[in-house]
Amino acid sequence: MNAARGKFITLEGGEGAGKSTVLNAVRELLAAHGLDVVVTREPGGTTAGEAIRGVLLDPTLHGRIAPETELLLMFAARAQHVRETIVPALAAGRWVLGDRFTDASYAYQGGGRGQPDERIAELERWAAAGLQPDLTLLLDLPVGVGLERVRGRGPADRIELEAHEFFERVRAAYRARAAAQPARFRVIDASRSLDEVLTQVRAAVTDFLAVNAARGAA
Ligand code: Z5A
């Protein structure tokens, strides 16, 4: 049996963008098209990756992880995730739906922490084997709106403890990446009502499926 390679779709965005809600809607849409979907997340997605996530998000380590360490831990988790989860699933013809991937490192560790893009690109080539999503939905919204949505939902993790300006830099970096790679990114206005957000998301994924089906038929 030689299954066609599956597709890799990622969701990205800042705090309170609604990724969790959107993820379920995308999963349902793909399943309704008869696709076998693997849902995963970063940092995490493997046993080792989830252990690394625990360190990365531990609020007691706030201010005690150097930006270089943070970047390397993100890619340590990703190296395992790519090899153990994502690549085998794609090779088996399954579709992978990821809650964040390398774009988050460009946004948070690049934009937020000031790590140079060239360094992230080098890690992407080596640790992530150069793997790129086929489609990335960027849920974009003003930082203040997102922070307001997540306020009071429980204790903040280590990254959520950062200042407002940090998240402004993250947002700017995400938007710059989307503008630079318009063929891969679809920018969703995540400041709208949930119904409106889901309508935009379903349209973007339906377009992608149509293009993909047309390519398969050609
Ligand atoms: N990180 C990194 O720095 N570098 C990397 O390379 C990677 C990750 C891969 C992972 O946390 C953290 O790691 C993340 C980036 C960093 N840092 N932070 N902070 P995560 O991905 O597990 O957590 P998160 O990004 O903060 O996602 P979340 O907490 O799951 O939020 P969300 O999924 O985007 O939002 P939500 O839970 O779906 O919605 C938030 C609330 O808003 C909720 O009450 C919803 O009901 C509400 N909501 C959602 N949509 C709407 C609309 N449209 N209107 C009104 N209210 C809404």
Side-chain angles (χ1 to χ4, degrees):
M1 193 177 66
N2 189 12
R5 177 189 178 277
K7 298 291 174 192
F8 182 25
I9 299 179
T10 56
L11 295 183
E12 299 282 356
E15 308 316 286
K19 284 184 295 92
S20 312
T21 319
V22 165
L23 192 105
N24 285 325
V26 175
R27 182 201 349 228
E28 282 168 19
L29 183 59
L30 295 177
H33 280 78
L35 296 164
D36 182 7
V37 185
V38 175
V39 175
T40 188
R41 69 170 181 183
E42 288 208 349
T46 64
T47 304
E50 291 293 327
I52 296 169
R53 177 187 179 92
V55 173
L56 278 163
L57 300 186
D58 180 352
T60 68
L61 295 177
H62 188 240
R64 301 171 70 193
I65 294 186
E68 292 79 3
T69 310
E70 182 177 281
L71 177 62
L72 288 168
L73 286 173
M74 290 294 174
F75 271 97
R78 183 165 299 128
Q80 190 63 32
H81 192 205
V82 165
R83 287 161 182 78
E84 184 179 330
T85 306
I86 304 175
V87 166
L90 294 174
R94 306 182 76 189
W95 284 46
V96 177
L97 179 55
D99 186 344
R100 299 192 186 280
F101 192 58
T102 306
D103 293 306
S105 293
Y106 283 100
Y108 285 81
Q109 284 64 57
R113 304 273 190 230
Q115 291 294 294
D117 276 2
E118 312 82 72
R119 186 167 302 155
I120 301 172
E122 195 179 336
L123 286 167
E124 183 179 24
R125 280 191 296 277
W126 172 63
L131 182 67
Q132 297 285 320
D134 297 290
L135 170 69
T136 298
L137 302 174
L138 172 59
L139 306 187
D140 178 58
L141 81 174
V143 172
V145 175
L147 291 178
E148 188 57 36
R149 280 185 192 166
V150 298
R151 209 156 56 124
R153 76 168 168 183
D157 66 38
R158 188 182 63 85
I159 295 176
E160 288 167 348
L161 288 168
E162 293 304 326
H164 187 106
E165 298 68 43
F166 173 88
F167 296 108
E168 290 289 358
R169 294 196 298 277
V170 168
R171 183 185 187 206
Y174 265 136
R175 287 162 64 98
R177 280 186 74 68
Q181 301 181 54
R184 172 164 71 88
F185 275 92
R186 291 290 173 277
V187 181
I188 306 295
D189 180 355
S191 69
R192 313 292 284 258
S193 73
L194 194 50
D195 273 356
E196 289 172 295
V197 170
L198 292 179
T199 300
Q200 296 174 68
V201 165
R202 290 194 183 101
V205 175
T206 302
D207 273 1
F208 177 77
L209 289 169
V211 169
N212 199 53
R215 282 201 189 121

